[in-house]
Amino acid sequence: MDIDRFDPTPIYKQVARVIRERIKSGELQPRDPIPSESKLVADHGVARDTARQAVALLRSEGWVITLPQRGSFVAERLPEDGA
């Protein structure tokens, strides 16, 4: 899934959706690292702040956890509703 700059959905939510879909599909397993902010910037052509917002959204929804100085990882217990 690519980022659609003409879609009214905010870009950070689109980036979060891409990662969420990778988790749901099993491509990213619990405890796997998610792409770094730098990788998200390079892969999707977004600003670092946009990548940061996407990770923050996933964290608030319970899809990822962030460990200081280590990065962000797929949560061991994923949200029940499948958001």
Side-chain angles (χ1 to χ4, degrees):
M1 174 184 285
D2 291 324
I3 302 306
D4 181 356
R5 298 191 185 287
F6 294 102
D7 184 331
T9 305
I11 293 176
Y12 79 95
K13 288 186 177 182
Q14 293 183 50
V15 173
R17 181 174 41 202
V18 169
I19 298 169
R20 193 181 304 110
E21 290 304 318
R22 289 179 65 191
I23 295 169
K24 286 181 180 181
S25 75
E27 182 181 342
L28 291 172
Q29 296 288 316
R31 301 184 87 173
D32 281 351
I34 65 166
S36 67
E37 288 178 6
S38 297
K39 181 96 170 104
L40 293 173
V41 167
D43 288 352
H44 300 291
V46 299
R48 183 169 292 274
D49 192 53
T50 301
R52 192 171 289 132
Q53 284 181 297
V55 174
L57 176 62
L58 291 167
R59 190 171 40 247
S60 72
E61 293 174 344
W63 289 98
V64 303
I65 60 165
T66 299
L67 302 174
Q69 306 301 316
R70 293 193 184 116
S72 295
F73 301 84
V74 177
E76 288 193 60
R77 298 192 65 200
L78 299 176
E80 294 293 326
D81 65 356

